[in-house]
Amino acid sequence: MKIVRISAFCLAFAAILVFGSGMALAFYQSPQVPLFGIQLRGIDVIPVAAPDPTPAPVTGVTHYTININQFQDQLVPASTGLGPTTLWGYQPAIPLLPTVSTQRHLGSIIVGQKGKPIQLTVKNNLPAASPVPIDITIPGANQDQNRAAVHFHGGHVPWISDGGPFDWYTPSGSHGLSFLNNVLNPSAPAGSGEYYYPLDQSARFGWYHDHAWGITRTNAYTGIASALLIRDNFEKALTFLGLPNYIEAGGNEIPLVFQDKIFVGPNIASADPSWTGLSAPGSLWYAHTYEVNQPDGTGRWDLAPQPLNPSLPDPSVIPEFFGDTMLVNGTAYPQATVQARRYRLRMLNACNARFLNLQLYIADGTPNGITLDAAGNPTNAKFLNAASGITLASNSITLNAAGATSVTLPVIKPAPPSAKWLVLGTEGGFLSHITQVPSGQPMVIQPNAIDPTTGQTDPRLLTTSLLMGPAERTDALVDFSSVAPGTEVILYNDAPSPFPAGDDRNDYFPGWNCGDGLFGVGNPVNCTTAAGFGPNTRVLMKFKVAAATGTKDKTLFLTPGLNLMLGNDLLPQPAVASGVVPAALPRRFLTLNEAFDEYGRLIQIIGDAQAPGGSPYVVTASFSGPPAVLNVPATQETVVNNTTEVWEIYNTTGDVHPMHFHLSTVQII
């Protein structure tokens, strides 16, 4: 699965709310949370799922039982005075490690093998009310708040196991129109769903999350998500070429899941009087007021001039949400001890809307670990993290199609270290060729990158490090042996939000770009945040490097340019070389558009050649003052199974829209 990312300028402005002592702040803000006050969680804390002792009904494959529960977890240091956070999430009925059985955020990780199908029974045990406010005015959301639909993001699965929006079910057993997956387990109890995953894809970092109609964003935000790793023989063979061994085998592989949240503090009643979610300090806060752009520059989103229904609801859906506190593997600003050796980082951007421009810097001893210059760029030394210290004299490693067990090693020669990520793969598995990406390049918007009339952005004029949009994954190697033990390394992000032009009030770093007064430029929150604390969306976590012990790392033959095509599901090169569209393939024309709903709120819709302006997602949707171009049936594309097509998708809006496809692999050409 690929995410189609088309960059454009976002015409959003931050809203100003009266907060606390009268300070003007955007949204509600989390209380201050210390950086590096908690250890990074791994599978020694986050439960991994183990199979049931008996095979799955009907199919007879390996079977898992997983619960969806409400639970509490301490995501920030207790020294903050914030209590545990009430979450919704997955919990395996049988944890792989009996000592790791307490339910934790992002729990129920599954590790599967290519060619060995699995089946899941997922029991919905959720209470009636969500921990955050639900807007019942959008399609589907006026039904039960505790509906669930399990979607294997990027999975090639039968449609009855896709977990699409209409595949939802409740604890009582009521369900959506597409809920047919109980045919895989006719005796399944009410309130459960059954999912069959063939695992017929190449090795990759997959994940599964909730996708219930009308409440996907809030269910995912409250925690219903976990990882599903697929292994295969090709990947295993790479461990003989220097790839760190798997995390479940005790190897130096570290999954990193990034999320941005906002936490409720003790002042919630006075700071946000209309808040109807959980109010205990430490609870999750989610934006629920549609803040309209004003002539004086305040507000966040446009409103239709003459909405059909002029009474904006509260709680209300919003176009996008950006938190102020960064979580990695479920805790805020953690630190991790690593040895001075090679590591494989498996990264997932699980934010609702925030892009990440990931960089690595040597900590400079300040409370933040990072010092910014006048332009907002780190003054820290770049982390020289070439993962190998060698380069190939030729780009040929021969791996057999049966599983890469025979290897022809090329001649190697030394190479100096450089400030690069060594990227092996993305959400679709291994890349066609290993590539290097800068690890110390701040986000730069080059001159003329943004069209002043249309707001469209030329992505070729954006300079970044490792850029990840929401739901994207990256598989990269980092070698900490290039620094002395005792060194600390900061994982840093400066991607603007909304991407790429940004709104200063979504950029949090103590003391940076504070602004001046109620309508000043910048983010006033930064004026009051102490150094070494959040809100902070730039510092993600810290690695503390210790001396290497035990067996020395294998020589690394995985170097830039190495062909990995035998290990992925991509179409062969050069048929889809960059910029070359195969002429014989049928094409489709689609558009991304913005309109206004009946309340005048921004709504994103998809169009095609028959209706380029877009059409409703469901026939029950209504629009504010609907133009004639919208008075058409919902966009629907009919395709033929086992065929390949070229889809040309044009973003006509002033915003960024990641595109996600179900049931089929998509390759960007």
Side-chain angles (χ1 to χ4, degrees):
M1 271 313 172
K2 289 295 292 183
I3 299 252
V4 177
R5 185 174 59 231
I6 305 173
S7 300
F9 178 67
C10 181
L11 306 175
F13 298 90
I16 301 298
L17 297 177
V18 177
F19 181 89
S21 61
M23 176 67 71
L25 303 180
F27 276 13
Y28 181 83
Q29 311 302 156
S30 299
Q32 296 193 27
V33 174
L35 307 184
F36 323 129
I38 199 164
Q39 293 297 313
L40 179 73
R41 290 178 173 178
I43 60 173
D44 57 336
V45 177
I46 302 174
V48 176
D52 296 335
T54 56
V58 180
T59 64
V61 302
T62 300
H63 190 255
Y64 293 82
T65 299
I66 294 173
N67 295 288
I68 310 177
N69 301 325
Q70 178 170 291
F71 65 104
Q72 290 192 318
D73 194 1
Q74 189 72 37
L75 307 185
V76 301
S79 61
T80 59
L82 300 180
T85 303
T86 297
L87 299 161
W88 286 5
Y90 300 120
Q91 172 71 354
I94 304 176
L96 183 64
L97 301 175
T99 56
V100 185
S101 58
T102 301
Q103 186 159 9
R104 300 293 187 190
H105 185 30
L106 302 177
S108 207
I109 300 166
I110 298 174
V111 180
Q113 182 73 19
K114 179 182 178 180
K116 295 183 178 180
I118 63 174
Q119 189 168 317
L120 279 57
T121 296
V122 185
K123 298 181 179 179
N124 185 347
N125 305 315
L126 295 173
S130 171
V132 298
I134 301 296
D135 174 12
I136 63 173
T137 67
I138 63 172
N142 61 338
Q143 303 173 89
D144 294 322
Q145 295 185 16
N146 58 356
R147 291 171 292 123
V150 182
H151 172 55
F152 177 14
H153 192 117
H156 183 241
V157 303
W159 78 265
I160 61 171
S161 294
D162 180 51
F166 304 100
D167 187 37
W168 57 263
Y169 58 99
T170 68
S172 65
S174 61
H175 55 78
L177 295 176
S178 295
F179 185 84
L180 293 176
N181 56 14
N182 53 355
V183 301
L184 295 168
N185 188 357
S187 62
S192 64
E194 202 77 11
Y195 300 89
Y196 176 85
Y197 299 155
L199 301 189
D200 57 358
Q201 297 165 282
S202 61
R204 63 192 61 200
F205 182 0
W207 64 308
Y208 64 106
H209 59 77
D210 189 81
H211 211 320
W213 186 28
I215 53 175
T216 294
R217 71 200 184 286
T218 51
N219 278 3
Y221 182 74
T222 56
I224 312 181
S226 191
L228 200 169
L229 292 170
I230 301 178
R231 306 293 194 186
D232 66 13
N233 291 335
F234 182 92
E235 181 185 31
K236 183 62 178 178
L238 297 185
T239 63
F240 297 102
L241 304 180
L243 183 74
N245 205 354
Y246 303 156
I247 184 173
E248 63 268 24
N252 292 328
E253 180 185 38
I254 305 178
L256 298 175
V257 179
F258 308 114
Q259 299 169 299
D260 54 345
K261 308 289 187 186
I262 296 180
F263 292 96
V264 168
N267 65 341
I268 185 66
S270 59
D272 186 4
S274 63
W275 174 251
T276 58
L278 297 180
S279 58
S283 301
L284 291 175
W285 186 89
Y286 194 83
H288 58 92
T289 302
Y290 193 92
E291 299 166 354
V292 180
N293 283 332
Q294 302 296 329
D296 61 9
T298 61
R300 293 185 76 90
W301 305 292
D302 290 337
L303 187 73
Q306 294 180 320
L308 296 178
N309 189 336
S311 179
L312 274 170
D314 193 341
S316 173
V317 69
I318 61 169
E320 52 202 346
F321 173 81
F322 302 105
D324 62 17
T325 302
M326 300 303 299
L327 305 187
V328 185
N329 289 3
T331 59
Y333 314 115
Q335 63 176 342
T337 299
V338 294
Q339 295 187 18
R341 61 196 317 161
R342 186 184 312 132
Y343 283 80
R344 182 186 187 188
L345 304 184
R346 310 294 301 274
M347 295 175 282
L348 161 65
N349 180 354
C351 299
N352 278 41
R354 185 179 293 275
F355 277 62
L356 301 172
N357 182 40
L358 297 177
Q359 300 150 68
L360 291 166
Y361 295 101
I362 301 296
D364 60 9
T366 62
N368 298 320
I370 294 285
T371 300
L372 302 181
D373 62 19
N377 298 322
T379 61
N380 301 53
K382 295 181 179 180
F383 174 54
L384 300 179
N385 66 320
S388 62
I390 63 172
T391 189
L392 290 175
S394 64
N395 286 336
S396 67
I397 288 184
T398 302
L399 305 174
N400 69 21
T405 55
S406 65
V407 180
T408 301
L409 297 179
V411 178
I412 59 175
K413 59 184 180 180
S418 58
K420 304 282 187 180
W421 297 96
L422 191 65
V423 180
L424 307 179
T426 59
E427 58 277 357
F430 290 117
L431 294 170
S432 60
H433 295 78
I434 297 175
T435 188
Q436 283 187 317
V437 176
S439 64
Q441 174 59 59
M443 172 80 183
V444 176
I445 301 177
Q446 304 289 351
N448 303 316
I450 301 175
D451 187 294
T453 302
T454 65
Q456 295 293 312
T457 298
D458 185 343
R460 297 169 297 182
L461 298 179
L462 301 178
T463 304
T464 68
S465 284
L466 184 56
L467 187 66
M468 295 180 66
E472 288 192 319
R473 283 85 81 199
T474 299
D475 185 355
L477 295 186
V478 173
D479 194 344
F480 291 100
S481 65
S482 61
V483 298
T487 303
E488 297 181 339
V489 178
I490 302 296
L491 182 57
Y492 177 82
N493 158 61
D494 67 353
S497 295
F499 188 85
D503 180 330
D504 287 340
R505 294 179 181 88
N506 296 321
D507 183 11
Y508 297 87
F509 187 89
W512 162 249
N513 199 15
C514 289
D516 181 21
L518 185 62
F519 306 122
V521 175
N523 186 348
V525 180
N526 295 338
C527 301
T528 58
T529 302
F533 287 81
N536 189 328
T537 55
R538 294 198 171 205
V539 173
L540 303 182
M541 64 171 294
K542 177 171 67 176
F543 295 102
K544 301 178 68 175
V545 182
T549 60
T551 305
K552 184 180 178 180
D553 288 343
K554 292 184 176 74
T555 300
L556 183 66
F557 298 101
L558 307 175
T559 53
L562 186 65
N563 190 320
L564 299 177
M565 283 295 292
L566 281 178
N568 59 42
D569 300 330
L570 301 175
L571 294 175
Q573 301 286 357
V576 289
S578 178
V580 178
V581 179
L585 296 180
R587 301 193 187 192
R588 290 181 189 268
F589 169 92
L590 293 103
T591 57
L592 299 169
N593 309 274
E594 283 182 341
F596 297 98
D597 70 4
E598 62 269 37
Y599 294 95
R601 302 172 297 192
L602 283 170
I603 185 171
Q604 290 75 42
I605 52 179
I606 296 177
D608 59 13
Q610 287 70 47
S615 54
Y617 175 53
V618 289
V619 294
T620 57
S622 58
F623 294 86
S624 180
V629 71
L630 294 178
N631 294 331
V632 293
T635 299
Q636 177 174 293
E637 306 301 315
T638 302
V639 299
V640 178
N641 195 30
N642 295 321
T643 60
T644 300
E645 298 187 349
V646 174
W647 288 24
E648 299 180 6
I649 305 177
Y650 294 85
N651 186 356
T652 71
T653 78
D655 208 341
V656 169
H657 301 276
M659 291 291 292
H660 171 53
F661 294 78
H662 287 219
L663 300 176
S664 180
T665 295
V666 176
Q667 182 174 340
I668 297 177
I669 59 176

